[in-house]
Amino acid sequence: MKKKIFITRNIPAVGVKMLKAQKDFDVHIYRRDEKIPRKTLLQKIKGCHGILSILTEKMDTQAMDAAGPNLKIIANYAVGFDNIDLKAAKERGIAVGNAPCDEVSEAVAEFTFALLLARSRRIVESDKYTRLGKYEEWHPLLMLGRDVYAKTLGIVGLGRIGQALCQRAAKGFGMKILYTDMRQNKEFEKEYKAKKVPLATLLKKSDYVSLHVPLLPSTRHLIGVKQLKMMKKTAYLINTARGPVVHEKALLKALYKNEIAGAALDVYECEPTIDCDLTDRYELRKLSNVIITPHIASATIEARDAMARVAAENIIGVLKNRKAPALVKIK
Ligand code: DGY
């Protein structure tokens, strides 16, 4: 009997081709250009041996039970895996894969740096200003920003993406690097003069704080009222990790009260909703010192193709008892 694979959304063709090339796989895809309705998902995954999921699908006990006992692997088309109930997967003997790869690390680091530059040099504001026909004459104080060169960048989480960001910032822009991580990275400390410090020190000393931690119970609201108060008034917060790592209401308040200089966000606490509490008088989208983008840090052709390859390899590896490139270690 063929092994049933379900792909919950259209992903780059390279990954689909790899799976379809396996003669003993029967591959199905939800091809409509919309998020798969939950009811349809639960029906489609019935009897599956492998599911290739995207980060907006909740892979919880209900989904795992709907798939049934054949299910051996959930391969997430993402580096993050906070949409998957790891404990439930472990209890059921289901492997969980994610898709970290160099292409994604480079793409996210590039995008993070683009946000950093855009915010510090007010590029989005300036574009809007110019389009609105407000540029009438050169002015010495028009759209003054701040240098990035030689400033201090605080990297919260020196994993693959944090490291790719560190390389760009230290080598390309002469930035001083502070970082937090569970592990000390002596190689990076030597090569980039990076310094591991407690989070409070990083927040107090950095001109730019960039978040690169996964969303875990321990990182939810890692940046809240207290942490924002520790930041310099002139500092910027950049989040290309996961929205709930930041207490968004606290950030909004800090921005309205000019407790920090600005922020650049690619992810949101109630994603895809921006400003989850519309009764709140504070709104992200109204702030000119904030750049908001729609969770696109890894959206390059190179990165998304690589993610599709890794996700497919994870499924092939687990179902054929071969090496899978990126299985999540479940404690
Ligand atoms: C990830 O990979 O986790 C990103 O957030 C989406 O590409």
Side-chain angles (χ1 to χ4, degrees):
M1 201 186 65
K2 288 194 175 193
K3 293 191 170 115
K4 187 178 164 192
I5 313 294
F6 186 67
I7 305 176
T8 66
R9 189 132 198 196
N10 232 345
I11 59 161
V14 58
V16 180
K17 272 193 200 144
M18 285 169 66
L19 291 168
K20 284 198 166 167
Q22 311 303 312
K23 297 220 158 51
D24 54 340
F25 284 8
D26 177 21
V27 181
H28 301 258
I29 312 172
Y30 189 73
R31 285 212 185 266
R32 288 202 203 161
D33 194 19
E34 58 170 16
K35 179 173 154 57
I36 185 168
R38 181 75 179 172
K39 214 172 136 200
T40 313
L41 174 79
L42 297 178
Q43 281 162 1
K44 296 271 184 196
I45 59 179
K46 203 164 175 237
C48 269
H49 296 77
I51 300 173
L52 197 155
S53 55
I54 62 163
L55 57 88
T56 52
E57 311 308 347
K58 268 216 164 328
M59 288 293 142
D60 50 12
T61 50
Q62 188 193 35
M64 291 175 204
D65 292 343
N70 287 344
L71 188 61
K72 294 289 170 293
I73 165 93
I74 299 174
N76 221 27
Y77 179 73
V79 177
F81 43 83
D82 43 286
N83 55 314
I84 302 176
D85 185 335
L86 296 184
K87 190 169 158 267
K90 191 176 179 186
E91 281 163 7
R92 289 162 178 74
I94 302 166
V96 172
N98 65 337
C101 46
D102 290 346
E103 291 86 341
V104 173
S105 306
E106 301 303 331
V108 176
E110 252 172 38
F111 189 79
T112 304
F113 214 81
L115 287 178
L116 189 155
L117 287 171
R119 188 65 286 274
S120 58
R121 296 305 309 272
R122 304 176 64 179
I123 291 172
V124 177
E125 273 174 86
S126 298
D127 176 273
K128 196 169 168 197
Y129 177 91
T130 313
R131 276 172 206 274
L132 289 173
K134 290 188 178 173
Y135 179 42
E136 283 169 359
E137 59 178 347
W138 188 88
H139 189 294
L141 303 180
L142 181 63
M143 290 287 167
L144 282 190
R146 281 180 191 277
D147 278 349
V148 169
Y149 174 73
K151 292 281 164 58
T152 299
L153 171 63
I155 302 178
V156 180
L158 197 68
R160 296 169 71 134
I161 296 170
Q163 290 177 19
L165 179 66
C166 171
Q167 291 167 335
R168 283 164 174 77
K171 293 273 178 195
F173 288 80
M175 295 185 89
K176 299 180 197 87
I177 309 293
L178 299 177
Y179 74 96
T180 63
D181 201 83
M182 284 187 306
R183 287 183 320 111
Q184 182 163 16
N185 191 328
K186 291 214 168 119
E187 199 190 308
F188 263 68
E189 296 193 353
K190 202 167 155 221
E191 177 83 21
Y192 302 103
K193 296 199 179 76
K195 207 168 155 206
K196 183 173 184 291
V197 292
L199 180 62
T201 311
L202 180 146
L203 294 169
K204 282 178 198 156
K205 297 204 165 157
S206 298
D207 300 299
Y208 301 88
V209 174
S210 192
L211 306 176
H212 301 284
V213 287
L215 177 61
L216 303 167
S218 58
T219 60
R220 184 175 289 273
H221 290 174
L222 183 69
I223 305 296
V225 178
K226 193 170 141 208
Q227 291 71 25
L228 289 159
K229 283 204 189 305
M230 289 179 188
M231 287 175 67
K232 295 181 186 178
K233 263 185 171 309
T234 50
Y236 298 96
L237 179 72
I238 301 155
N239 190 7
T240 53
R242 283 292 182 268
V245 173
V246 176
H247 192 300
E248 211 168 86
K249 257 194 160 175
L251 173 64
L252 268 167
K253 263 196 185 154
L255 289 164
Y256 267 82
K257 290 184 174 169
N258 293 316
E259 285 172 2
I260 64 170
L265 308 172
D266 187 44
V267 287
Y268 308 90
E269 195 156 357
C270 310
E271 207 170 312
T273 309
I274 314 290
D275 290 318
C276 31
D277 183 2
L278 282 177
T279 59
D280 198 337
R281 62 198 170 101
Y282 302 122
E283 282 181 53
L284 266 179
R285 69 186 93 200
K286 289 201 179 142
L287 287 166
S288 59
N289 58 349
V290 176
I291 296 178
I292 49 175
T293 52
H295 201 151
I296 52 164
S298 70
T300 66
I301 291 167
E302 295 84 348
R304 293 287 165 89
D305 277 358
M307 286 161 68
R309 276 196 299 272
V310 176
E313 279 166 8
N314 277 336
I315 293 184
I316 296 167
V318 168
L319 294 184
K320 297 196 177 235
N321 288 322
R322 293 191 204 142
K323 200 169 163 349
L327 296 185
V328 176
K329 286 193 192 87
I330 310 179
K331 285 181 200 138

